[in-house]
Amino acid sequence: MKKSIFECTILRLCKIHNCAGNITIVEGQKNIPFDVRRIYYLYDIPSGATRGGHAHKALYQLIVATSGSFNVLLDDGQNKKIITLNRPDHGLMVVPGIWRELFEFSSGAICLVLASRKYDKDDYIRSHEKFVNF
C-alpha cells in the first residue's frame, strides 16, 4: 500500500488566458488521472495553523493553491519533501499511502482539494506512528 513521495507530482493544469481574466479547467481522467468524487476547500486559515496531518489508504488528491500560497510536507515513512504551492494553474497530485501536512498559509490563502473518493473515515490514517508501521 505504501508509495513513495516521488510518485507525487506537480501537474500543470490547463490555463486559458483572456484579457478579462484567466480560467483553469480541471477534468477527471483528462488532465488529472482520476475521477473527481469530492471537492472541498480550506480558507480563513489562522496564522501558524497546520492542516492535514494524515495519510489515506486509497484516496488520490489534487491540491491547488487557488489563492495565496502554502507548503505541503510529503512523507512516505523514509523520505520527506516540502512542496510550495502558489499558482492556481499547478496542482500537487498526492497518491495513496503518503502522509501530508499543510502549513505556512499566506494571508487569504485558499486551498482547493479534488479527491478521487467520497469521505470514508476508514480510509484515513490519523496517527503518524501508525502510518510509519502500516
Side-chain angles (χ1 to χ4, degrees):
M1 190 285 301
K2 276 205 181 172
K3 304 259 182 155
S4 165
I5 60 171
F6 303 107
E7 295 176 67
C8 299
T9 58
I10 296 291
L11 300 180
R12 201 164 181 181
L13 305 171
C14 174
K15 176 181 175 182
I16 300 170
H17 179 71
N18 185 299
C19 60
N22 299 325
I23 184 171
T24 293
I25 300 163
V26 180
E27 294 178 304
Q29 296 296 345
K30 188 170 181 181
N31 56 355
I32 61 172
F34 58 85
D35 287 324
V36 177
R37 298 280 188 246
R38 182 167 51 119
I39 299 169
Y40 61 92
Y41 48 99
L42 309 171
Y43 59 98
D44 292 341
I45 301 147
S47 177
T50 298
R51 299 298 307 250
H54 62 268
H56 290 281
K57 298 172 187 173
L59 181 91
Y60 286 81
Q61 290 181 317
L62 182 73
I63 302 173
V64 181
T66 57
S67 181
S69 66
F70 52 89
N71 290 327
V72 181
L73 168 71
L74 301 173
D75 177 354
D76 62 18
Q78 294 191 341
N79 303 292
K80 293 181 181 182
K81 137 169 112 166
I82 295 174
I83 305 287
T84 299
L85 295 176
N86 58 9
R87 296 184 59 173
D89 61 333
H90 286 73
L92 173 62
M93 189 183 74
V94 181
V95 300
I98 300 295
W99 185 268
R100 82 283 323 270
E101 296 178 18
L102 288 70
F103 61 101
E104 290 185 6
F105 290 86
S106 68
S107 177
I110 300 174
C111 171
L112 174 70
V113 181
L114 292 86
S116 66
R117 301 171 64 134
K118 293 184 179 182
Y119 175 78
D120 176 3
K121 65 178 173 58
D122 295 328
D123 186 57
Y124 284 75
I125 304 171
R126 296 190 186 271
S127 159
H128 192 266
E129 182 180 339
K130 286 181 184 176
F131 165 75
V132 171
N133 295 316
F134 190 74

